[in-house]
Amino acid sequence: MRLIATSPDFARSAHTKVKRPLELAASFVRASGLDFQPTLAMLGELDGSGQRLFGWGPPTGHPDAADYWTSTSAMRRRWSLTLGLAENWWSTGIFDPAHPIGGGEVAAASVLDYWLPALTGRGEGGGELLAAMNLEADSVLATDQARRLVALTALSPGFQTR
Amino acid sequence: MLTRRHLLQGVAAGTLATIPGLSGLAFAETAAERDLLVVVFLRGGCDALNLMAPVNDRSYLDARPPELRVLDAGDRQGHRLDSDLVAGLDFRLHPEARPLAELYRAGHLAIVAATGLSNATRSHFVAQDLIERGIADEQKRLERDTGWLARYIALGASKAVVPAVSANPGVSAALLGDAAALAVPDLQGGIGIPGGEPVRAALMRLYRAGDDVVTRAGRQALANIAAVEAVLPRAPDGKVTPYQPENGASYDAGGDFVRGLQSVARLAKAELGLTTAVVDCASWDHHEGEPGRFNNMVGQLARNLAAFYNDMAKSHDRMTIVVLSEFGRRLRANRSQGTDHGHGGHTLVLGGHVQGGRLYGKWPGLSTPELDRGVDLAVTTDYRAVLAELLTRRLGVKDTGTILPGFAPPQPLGLFKA
């Protein structure tokens, strides 16, 4: 076990495995601290993502290949699944993006300082995220804006792998 | 509906040109000339001997109760097929397969009997995996991490926007390795970006640089979505207008298979350069309670396959449909009104260039010594022989070695018109 855990190959394997949709959803719920309640609507979205829980027709198991989980429709569903969880589209629960950083109105840079490493394990990409929402680092965000910024962080490539 | 010309004008005007992966992309000049291949995969192991069989074969009559075989008389007798496959044997199609019998009689449908894997596996997992990789040797599976259709598409160097579609929730394993393959189980709801334009714009920025597998896939997805969305007709309320089949074609009201076929038809008609499509028709694994379920499924398959073919009438000269399953099922029915995993099956080939109205292959017989392992329909035609003939005779492939590695194609069966 030590040999595996300390090997260069193991170190290089970080962020190379594409999360399956269930893992993607679960990792967002855990990272965000969302008070999660599963709903049929959310499970339906998960079903449409290509991961049919107990409903995979052929008895072969889902493919263990990145291509399958990153097809056009799979990517679209991944984005939908994460955005919907972040913004409570399916009544699965609400999370407060400002809570870990003191609550209330917060600066965009503060949101990214906490959530970018929390979600992606890395600190890069903040500039792109700010630009994606036409924000400055010192822009003060309402809760919905902060939630959208966190959601976009989870939609970014860095959150799609483990 | 937007035509290719309109879409090209959109690209030229910059409407779509800002999408990474789409800008500078040319539509295949020969998109309209290259054949469209549609592969329908009957997943679960279709009971071929209940779909098409020699109804007067003594071994067949002895092995199965009437409700698990095609009959030669009565209210539910099968549809007789003209054939010179074996003198004296009366081959018939399942009674619910009337639309297929009509296509057979019209000369559009050919059936290659006793086809399948040369590999002896009875495992769904292994059999589907081998067929979708285009191989027969389990030891070679790890050497082939791409699907046979992806390798076929790669040979053509297609520049089409959407060269391949898997009309299923995920990309079919036969298309694994083709980064541009689209997986859309249903186009009726459109495939817009969740969250609308603000999120799309944000994703464009987040995925514009980077060469890892996810970033590349995201770019491709954004390009594909934009291209497909541009040709989906929408009502004033923004909803995609219901699909209108052509030529009086009538599909069933719903179901994954129907939605998949209609999605393929929409894309094929949208002039995005579609040349390859895979549609799954699932749940053929009937170990118990087969009669009612099988009858319904054969009816669904036959009606909707015929509807799709009719709907695509304008493309008959450049379209071939292949229907296959990972294996057939045991000759002898089990005690649960079902059939267990077997070996040989049948492959259906449908198209305007098909020499239809004939049964092809070599019938191995159904007496115990003639059966594979003494229990299953033997395979006399490797499934790759059908694919190789299709690839070389209709799809412009000169050497099938890359697509079907390790397979030396036999003398062609003569499935296609000259």
Side-chain angles (χ1 to χ4, degrees):
Chain A
M1 184 61 78
R2 180 177 293 112
L3 184 68
I4 294 171
T6 58
S7 71
D9 286 346
F10 186 70
R12 279 196 296 271
S13 70
H15 296 292
T16 58
K17 187 82 172 175
V18 178
K19 295 174 186 171
R20 293 183 178 200
L22 179 62
E23 184 184 1
L24 183 75
S27 59
F28 181 77
V29 168
R30 290 174 63 183
S32 65
L34 180 68
D35 183 16
F36 178 69
Q37 296 294 323
T39 61
L40 283 177
M42 182 265 170
L43 292 174
E45 185 68 18
L46 187 63
D47 212 38
S49 69
Q51 189 170 10
R52 294 181 160 187
L53 301 180
F54 308 109
W56 180 250
T60 54
H62 291 88
D64 188 25
D67 284 355
Y68 179 82
W69 303 108
T70 57
S71 70
T72 291
S73 62
M75 289 302 297
R76 178 173 165 269
R77 290 287 191 164
R78 296 173 81 86
W79 294 329
S80 175
L81 190 60
T82 317
L83 191 61
L85 283 170
E87 301 188 346
N88 196 26
W89 290 357
W90 309 292
S91 302
T92 48
I94 297 173
F95 83 102
D96 179 2
H99 178 71
I101 46 179
E105 292 187 335
V106 288
S110 303
V111 172
L112 290 174
D113 283 347
Y114 176 81
W115 286 104
L116 197 52
L119 289 171
T120 69
R122 291 172 285 197
E124 308 99 45
E128 288 296 309
L129 285 160
L130 290 174
M133 284 187 64
N134 296 317
L135 296 172
E136 302 295 333
D138 57 359
S139 299
V140 176
L141 307 184
T143 301
D144 283 352
Q145 281 181 299
R147 194 175 283 126
R148 173 59 64 93
L149 185 55
V150 175
L152 290 180
T153 307
L155 264 57
S156 69
F159 190 62
Q160 308 300 315
T161 54
R162 60 176 159 91
Chain B
M1 176 185 289
L2 271 174
T3 64
R4 183 177 88 162
R5 179 177 298 166
H6 290 128
L7 191 56
L8 283 168
Q9 286 168 348
V11 172
T15 314
L16 301 170
T18 54
I19 299 170
L22 193 60
S23 58
L25 205 57
F27 284 82
E29 290 300 322
T30 57
E33 296 158 18
R34 197 171 185 191
D35 271 17
L36 170 62
L37 168 60
V38 180
V39 177
V40 174
F41 205 120
L42 309 182
R43 296 197 183 266
C46 174
D47 185 7
L49 289 173
N50 201 1
L51 178 64
M52 192 282 292
V55 295
N56 58 342
D57 183 290
R58 176 46 53 192
S59 300
Y60 184 61
L61 291 165
D62 290 345
R64 290 180 170 226
E67 61 271 24
L68 279 176
R69 60 180 157 85
V70 186
L71 304 176
D72 63 350
D75 292 345
R76 290 189 56 77
Q77 63 178 286
H79 303 283
R80 186 192 295 270
L81 302 176
D82 287 339
S83 159
D84 55 3
L85 195 59
V86 182
L89 282 184
D90 179 6
F91 284 92
R92 296 193 183 207
L93 267 171
H94 190 281
E96 296 293 335
R98 176 185 292 280
L100 297 182
E102 290 169 355
L103 286 167
Y104 182 92
R105 288 167 189 149
H108 294 267
L109 173 67
I111 301 174
V112 188
T115 55
L117 281 161
S118 55
N119 184 293
T121 184
R122 266 70 170 170
S123 154
H124 295 288
F125 177 87
V126 175
Q128 291 186 19
D129 199 42
L130 292 173
I131 289 173
E132 296 194 291
R133 288 171 200 257
I135 58 178
D137 183 351
E138 289 180 52
Q139 304 303 318
K140 302 285 186 189
R141 284 163 67 195
L142 293 178
E143 297 173 20
R144 295 286 164 189
D145 58 357
T146 56
W148 75 274
L149 285 172
R151 298 196 292 275
Y152 155 63
I153 292 166
L155 273 188
S158 171
K159 290 182 179 176
V161 174
V162 182
V165 64
S166 183
N168 310 303
V171 170
S172 160
L175 285 167
L176 283 181
D178 178 33
L182 185 67
V184 280
D186 184 10
L187 279 174
Q188 186 54 50
I191 58 168
I193 297 290
E197 179 56 26
V199 174
R200 190 195 71 82
L203 290 169
M204 295 272 290
R205 182 171 281 277
L206 295 173
Y207 283 80
R208 70 179 174 179
D211 197 38
D212 59 282
V213 64
V214 171
T215 310
R216 277 187 279 117
R219 273 201 298 275
Q220 186 70 56
L222 289 164
N224 278 349
I225 288 168
V228 174
E229 278 288 309
V231 296
L232 281 180
R234 289 186 181 270
D237 63 1
K239 292 183 178 173
V240 176
T241 55
Y243 178 62
Q244 297 296 328
E246 295 180 52
N247 206 30
S250 177
Y251 293 90
D252 285 0
D256 290 347
F257 183 53
V258 171
R259 287 189 282 270
L261 289 173
Q262 291 184 339
S263 294
V264 172
R266 268 198 203 259
L267 283 173
K269 294 174 185 177
E271 301 183 59
L272 294 172
L274 185 72
T275 59
T276 312
V278 181
V279 185
D280 281 356
C281 185
S283 303
W284 293 86
D285 193 18
H286 300 139
H287 289 279
E288 58 187 11
E290 177 173 319
R293 295 156 67 198
F294 189 83
N295 293 349
N296 289 338
M297 292 189 65
V298 170
Q300 183 196 49
L301 172 71
R303 284 191 304 276
N304 294 298
L305 201 55
F308 176 76
Y309 192 67
N310 197 20
D311 186 11
M312 296 289 291
K314 289 176 185 168
S315 300
H316 283 181
D317 281 350
R318 53 170 296 267
M319 178 177 76
T320 307
I321 303 168
V322 176
V323 183
L324 46 73
S325 189
E326 66 264 38
F327 46 59
R329 305 187 78 82
R330 189 144 292 182
L331 168 63
R332 188 165 295 282
N334 63 28
R335 293 181 180 179
S336 303
Q337 287 271 294
T339 51
D340 298 323
H341 299 181
H343 193 45
H346 308 317
T347 300
L348 279 55
V349 186
L350 177 61
H353 282 277
V354 172
Q355 298 256 37
R358 285 184 57 191
L359 297 181
Y360 289 83
K362 181 184 174 197
W363 187 248
L366 295 176
S367 68
T368 300
E370 294 168 321
L371 294 172
D372 187 81
R373 297 183 180 180
V375 289
D376 294 329
L377 178 66
V379 170
T380 54
T381 301
D382 191 305
Y383 79 99
R384 293 171 296 177
V386 179
L387 303 184
E389 187 165 338
L390 170 65
L391 288 164
T392 53
R393 295 301 172 98
R394 288 303 314 159
L395 303 179
V397 175
K398 290 181 180 163
D399 180 359
T400 59
T402 307
I403 303 168
L404 305 169
F407 180 67
Q411 190 70 22
L413 295 162
L415 283 166
F416 300 98
K417 297 171 186 168

